[in-house]
Amino acid sequence: MDHERDGRATGYALYRHNFDPDGFRGSAGVVEVVELAACSRQSYAALWRFLAGIDLVTWIAYERAVDESLPRLLIEPRAVQAAPVGRLWLRLADVDRALAGGGYSLPLNLVLDVRDDFCPWDDGRRRLQAEAGNTRL
């Protein structure tokens, strides 16, 4: 599902809709959110509104970040039974050093085009060639 404003995509959600046994000889609808990304609070809320509005769904499964704002969107924030999952996002401050320092277990030959406004010294195109255990940049 994607969210658009003025014809431009502002967010998306990847999800699965499954039916699991509910213990009463029936099945319960489950939406498993695999990934959700939004450029604004409005698109974030619209994506959750869509997911929460899917028919015949008993619960939504989602591994959320510690600082996720989903509970603040709800009238009853306790409706979210959360087990936050920590994820590590990082930015390479020295791409050349990181690529050259890696020991690659398989041969590879590829071109990387790096654009980073925060670390402009990393901008540029690089060819990475590696044999098992050996790297050339």
Side-chain angles (χ1 to χ4, degrees):
M1 188 283 170
D2 63 344
H3 183 261
E4 292 185 9
R5 183 178 181 132
D6 301 327
R8 294 178 37 206
T10 60
Y12 68 91
L14 301 175
Y15 67 94
R16 294 182 189 98
H17 188 194
N18 300 313
F19 290 93
D20 291 338
D22 66 1
F24 299 105
R25 297 183 138 181
S27 63
V30 178
V31 168
E32 178 188 350
V33 180
V34 178
E35 184 175 339
L36 188 137
C39 295
S40 68
R41 286 188 297 252
Q42 293 81 8
S43 60
Y44 179 84
L47 290 167
W48 278 111
R49 195 174 303 112
F50 169 82
L51 292 166
I54 297 174
D55 287 340
L56 304 174
V57 171
T58 306
W59 74 85
I60 298 173
Y62 178 56
E63 289 185 355
R64 69 179 186 91
V66 174
D67 60 349
E68 193 91 28
S69 60
L70 176 61
R72 293 188 297 274
L73 292 175
L74 304 173
I75 293 169
E76 181 52 69
R78 292 178 295 177
V80 175
Q81 295 178 4
V85 176
R87 300 279 191 244
L88 177 65
W89 289 77
L90 58 99
R91 167 179 268 123
L92 293 176
D94 188 344
V95 171
D96 292 330
R97 187 171 160 197
L99 293 174
Y104 299 93
S105 59
L106 298 173
L108 60 97
N109 184 5
L110 60 102
V111 175
L112 301 169
D113 194 10
V114 177
R115 298 284 171 244
D116 189 340
D117 293 334
F118 188 75
C119 300
W121 55 85
D122 279 336
D123 282 359
R125 185 169 286 174
R126 296 158 178 85
R127 180 181 198 117
L128 177 62
Q129 294 177 306
E131 297 173 10
N134 189 8
T135 306
R136 281 190 319 236
L137 194 58

